[in-house]
Amino acid sequence: MSAAAPTSAPTSAARLPLARRLARRAPWWGVVLLLAALAVVWVYPFVWMVSASLKSSLEVFTAGLGIVPEEFAWENYSRAWTDANFGRYMVNTVLLTVSTVVIVVVRCALAGYVLGRFRFRGQRVVVGVLVATLFVPTGYTIIPIVKLSMELGLLNSLTGMVLALSGAANVSAILIYAGYFRQLPKELEEAATVDGAGFLRVFSQIMLPLSMPVTATVALLTFLATWNAFFLPLVFSFSDPDLRTLSVGMQAFVGENATDWSGMAAAGVISILPIVALFLFLQRYFVEGIAGAVKS
Amino acid sequence: MARTITPAPAAGAPSAAPVAAPRAARRRGVDTRRQTLWVWAFLTPTIVLYGLYTLYPIVASYWYSLVEWNGFSSGQRFVGISNYRAVLADPAFWASVKITLVFTLLVAPARILLSLLLAMVLNSPRLPLRNLFRTVYFLPVVTTTAIVGVVMQFVFDPASGPFTAFLKAFGADVGIDFLGDSGTALVTAAAVYVWKFFGITMVYWLAALQTVPTELYEAARIDGAGSFGIFRYVTLPLLVPFLLIITVLTVEDTFHAFDLMQTMTGGGPFFSTEIIEIYIYRWAFSASIPQLGFASAAAVLFGLFVMAVGALQAWALVVARRGRKALS
């Protein structure tokens, strides 16, 4: 390729003739084309869902691959929101998710702080138990959780769901916090202690604000897991449809109205839109949080 | 402070030191005791919540697996290991074990190898639009699995679903009911699962590729290595430790397909996609007379299996760390 180039080599690439520059980049554009085709396939189910949610009930069946609806049928959304009760499910999901995130962040930060920064009797036992249960699958403990919640009178309540979801697993969050707090310099709390700050003040005013990057990651991943949770909310809302979350409501909706495709699609868009929007805004933290599993 | 360091104190000093020392020690004792109190206070929320909702259930499920128990509000009767005997004698249990493993074998290699390929392309700084592609391929990961499962029922609808329309557009008038035929349902579900969680494995690989120092690539290029040579002799050896970790993480992940399977096929048609999680769910929650003891026994068996894979994961991590240390 560079046989004729000895004289032009010292000059910058920008001086190369346009045709040659394009030719050099051609393989990359081939790759891009391939990746773009794959990307279209990748997002197609979501595009189809959005498109179906705006079509009339009849058009969904006949349109085939057509994406743009003939007439925008916004009433699908009001049907899903009001008649199919997705407004209610949205409130439940938001309440469940926000409460769980707050509890998980607080309890994991507290535990990670003392485990990472102090030596005390019983510490090895606590760490040992946590690490041993790191691999315990959460789904298989559902029967005792239901029985326990029933005895505590929490089975048919959002509170019960919040407690069960925030009590499950999250060992890795504690370990991330512990690792982060451990590597902070000792002088930080020494200076504060000299100034007369107590245990609680050192934690809440110095350590916790410093751990913002970890908190962001833990909060986001917990948010994702809780928003998308299905098994536990399903079991907890068996006898009270008013407690359904979006994920549970979707299945129930299709079970009752198998032919209402556009209503189903509208309900799906309502359920997925918030988490997708959050992802698009905070993508970096999502990706870093997930990549952390490999890096550590 | 300074006084305690001085080796030869003045005549009056020794009397002060013994008095000061116990007082300081006592104060330090109070401090440590107070600190210990704080430490356990900080641990309390975790001990209570984790104890109630993770530790207790693990212990309790062993007990429940030894009783006959037909519903959450009915009584329990100790029956020894007969639940285990019944589970192990049930052909449907073994069928679900097989389906779970076949599902893993379908999903894991596709996710691990294809995402490595894609990650290597996306890792190249010269690729235009690479951030857009990363976002798009990761997008399905964040969407609610249970919702996606329901939507897929419609996407694969044999009469008017878009996938059928797509095939027809290419002249393939097959009319296959991909999710409704027991011959194709598991493969289709596996394909959807690969699509849904592909992005996670891709991000793992991108993180792994980031650890390869760019100087190594440059050095190899100066030595005259081609792209394949660089991959074979530079990238690949450095990625082997990560391959271990990523494989085990991905395999572990495929055991948790309940959300997708339950909403997409419900274990059907004719139990052809009944993974173990659905088997347990069926006996515990959707049978007309719940068999909670029986379901607990199945859950304990599968829990032990998953924990064995978890132990494998720990082992892989150790090996990988040793490998990485050997390299550096």
Side-chain angles (χ1 to χ4, degrees), chain A residues 136-242:
Chain A
V136 169
T138 46
Y140 311 111
T141 51
I142 189 79
I143 293 172
I145 287 177
V146 170
K147 177 68 177 164
L148 176 76
S149 303
M150 212 169 100
E151 270 158 18
L152 294 174
L154 292 168
L155 186 55
N156 295 313
S157 71
L158 273 179
T159 317
M161 278 191 232
V162 169
L163 290 177
L165 283 174
S166 50
N170 299 314
V171 175
S172 47
I174 295 179
L175 296 181
I176 298 173
Y177 267 118
Y180 186 84
F181 283 126
R182 188 175 301 126
Q183 50 87 37
L184 291 177
K186 199 97 199 127
E187 291 79 38
L188 279 171
E189 85 228 274
E190 272 162 12
T193 319
V194 168
D195 289 349
F199 195 93
L200 201 57
R201 275 231 346 247
V202 171
F203 172 74
S204 62
Q205 294 185 1
I206 299 170
M207 293 300 172
L208 198 59
L210 281 173
S211 70
M212 267 325 277
V214 180
T215 302
T217 304
V218 170
L220 264 176
L221 291 186
T222 311
F223 190 100
L224 184 68
T226 316
W227 188 275
N228 292 343
F230 175 65
F231 201 171
L232 199 119
L234 172 72
V235 172
F236 269 64
S237 64
F238 270 145
S239 50
D240 189 354
D242 275 349

Side-chain angles (χ1 to χ4, degrees), chain A residues 35 42 133 140 167 171 228 283, chain B residues 50 54 135 137 142 144 195 302:
Chain A
L35 289 177
W42 228 245
T133 51
Y140 311 111
V171 175
N228 292 343
Q283 190 176 358
Chain B
Y50 198 69
T54 303
T135 307
Y137 297 136
V142 300
T144 312
W195 166 78
F302 195 56

Side-chain angles (χ1 to χ4, degrees), chain B residues 227-273:
Chain B
S227 333
F228 181 77
I230 290 178
F231 173 70
R232 171 69 185 77
Y233 296 105
V234 178
T235 317
L236 206 56
L238 287 171
L239 288 184
V240 168
F242 289 103
L243 180 67
L244 269 176
I245 304 170
I246 292 174
T247 302
V248 185
L249 284 175
T250 307
V251 166
E252 187 117 316
D253 204 42
T254 60
F255 296 140
H256 307 293
F258 178 84
D259 293 10
L260 191 72
M261 227 47 130
Q262 177 68 20
T263 50
M264 200 161 63
T265 65
F270 309 113
F271 305 109
S272 63
T273 58

